[in-house]
Amino acid sequence: MKKMSLRTRVLTGAVAAAALGAGTFGAMSANASAPAAAPATTIKADTANRNLQQSTHLTVDAASKAAQAALDAAEKENQRVAVSVVDRNGNTILTLRGDGSGPQAYESAEKKAYTAVSWNAPTSELAGRLAQAPNLKDIPGTLFLAGGAPVQVKGAPVAGIGVAGAPSGDLDEKFARAGVAALAK
């Protein structure tokens, strides 16, 4: 076999790479322009289907309005807090960390909101239940301290608002309730 010069090998490699790139680009372009195949089975959901359930969730705008109202209520009383709003499933929609709030406030606010929506009750009431069932505090993600309030629609929880950072849970809960009240306006 005849030995190729360095220059020939480099040029041959470059041509091969260009051809490979063009082939790949062409295949990708062809795939991108081809219509997607229809799914084999289409399930048509109808509102009378007993396998479906609808639930109500706060919009981000509503969660923002509630959180800001709670933060404003705290600031009027010179309290530095964090406010968290979670959805019906306990997922955080948003958390506002007020100026000067402590490092623990952020996580505590989220846990209070989660606890309030999970039990559909203010966390101050739930804290009283610990006397009868002390294991409740061991449930991951919960915090049985005053400062969380559920947001309800027709008695069912749709969100939770948690506030943390004020010197007492009673104040935290007062501010959380101000957030709930802002949603009624």
Side-chain angles (χ1 to χ4, degrees):
M1 181 168 176
K2 185 178 174 186
K3 225 175 178 185
M4 292 195 288
S5 71
L6 177 63
R7 180 176 180 197
T8 304
R9 284 185 286 181
V10 169
L11 284 173
T12 303
V15 168
L20 180 63
T24 302
F25 177 77
M28 290 174 69
S29 295
N31 286 338
S33 64
T41 327
T42 303
I43 298 173
K44 292 185 179 181
D46 101 83
T47 56
N49 188 331
R50 295 175 195 230
N51 295 321
L52 300 176
Q53 182 176 2
Q54 292 183 343
S55 61
T56 304
H57 294 273
L58 287 184
T59 64
V60 171
D61 287 341
S64 298
K65 178 181 178 179
Q68 191 62 56
L71 191 61
D72 291 346
E75 287 176 351
K76 283 180 185 173
E77 296 191 28
N78 295 317
Q79 299 301 316
R80 295 178 173 99
V81 301
V83 179
S84 186
V85 180
V86 301
D87 67 13
R88 171 61 189 109
N89 301 321
N91 299 311
T92 303
I93 299 172
L94 69 99
T95 300
L96 298 178
R97 185 178 176 277
D99 295 335
S101 67
Q104 79 292 350
Y106 190 97
E107 184 177 353
S108 296
E110 285 183 335
K111 287 182 175 185
K112 288 178 182 183
Y114 176 83
T115 305
V117 75
S118 295
W119 276 272
N120 193 23
T123 53
S124 59
E125 290 178 20
L126 297 170
R129 295 183 192 177
L130 287 178
Q132 295 86 20
N135 320 27
L136 283 177
K137 69 181 179 334
D138 298 332
I139 298 173
T142 59
L143 186 58
F144 291 87
L145 298 174
V151 177
Q152 300 173 338
V153 173
K154 298 180 183 173
V158 296
I161 300 175
V163 177
S168 76
D170 293 339
L171 283 173
D172 286 339
E173 199 157 306
K174 175 183 174 182
F175 306 142
R177 290 178 192 264
V180 174
L183 294 173
K185 296 178 183 177

